[in-house]
Structures are given as structure tokens and as C-alpha cells.
Amino acid sequence: MNDNEPLFYTVPEVADVLRVESTTIYRAIREDTFPAIRIRGRYIVPAEAIRDLAAQATDRGGCVDVARLTRERLLLRQTGATSPSTDQPAPRAHIPRPAGTAFRPASRSNAQQARGR
């Protein structure tokens, strides 16, 4: 790790690095398919997670499915297994939400609405 590189990135910074809209990252975080830490109402993404994704894409020579990686990691934690199965896709794991919370789809920002996206 470079001394100038932060330990964490904000969601807009991650979106800029990955060349996607911030809402895409927020949606993935809320769906528990993208690594993040929530501090009060703010999300931050570990720089290590971004480096790991890039390394996996390079090592595999193909597309990395973040949602699949997340399901595999969750399954490992639930079953206590030592390594994910690379031959078969991991089953979708149920991730319970805290009581009293409901899924709310990400709303479009005023700037996106003005651009007609």
C-alpha cells in the first residue's frame, strides 16, 4: 500500500474509480453485494476491497461477480468452511435485515432527473 493511499474511500470516490454512478455503488451496498462499512448514515469502502477486486479480475483473467463473492464469503461464515467452491456457484444466502427496516430502492438524484437518466 502506498503511504499516500487512504485506508477507505467514500462512495463517490469508489464510483469514480470503477467508472459507475454513485447510485450503483449505494444500491450494491444496500443489497449486501458490495463491501462497505456504515458509520451512522455514511458508507465507506475499504481500499483493500477495491485492490482485492482488481487482483481477482487480473488473476482470473475474466469477470469478477462481486455479488457471488459476497454470497460465498457469507456461506463460509455460516458453515465454517475453509474455502469457497470454485466449480459451482454459491447458493443465494438469506441476509436478515434488522427489525423495523425495509428495503428502499435508491432514489434518483435531482441532477440525474434533470439529465433525464
Side-chain angles (χ1 to χ4, degrees), residues 63-74:
C63 183
V64 174
D65 184 353
V66 176
R68 180 178 176 194
L69 291 175
T70 303
R71 287 191 304 271
E72 288 174 351
R73 288 180 186 144
L74 179 61

Side-chain angles (χ1 to χ4, degrees), residues 38-57:
R38 182 175 178 181
I39 300 176
R40 294 190 173 219
R42 183 175 181 214
Y43 293 106
I44 55 175
V45 177
E48 184 76 21
I50 303 303
R51 284 192 302 274
D52 286 348
L53 291 174
Q56 287 183 31

Side-chain angles (χ1 to χ4, degrees), residues 78-90:
Q78 290 175 343
T79 62
T82 57
S83 63
S85 168
T86 55
D87 298 330
Q88 299 293 324

Side-chain angles (χ1 to χ4, degrees), residues 1-7 9 51:
M1 181 171 93
N2 184 345
D3 288 338
N4 295 331
E5 185 179 4
L7 286 174
Y9 289 109
R51 284 192 302 274

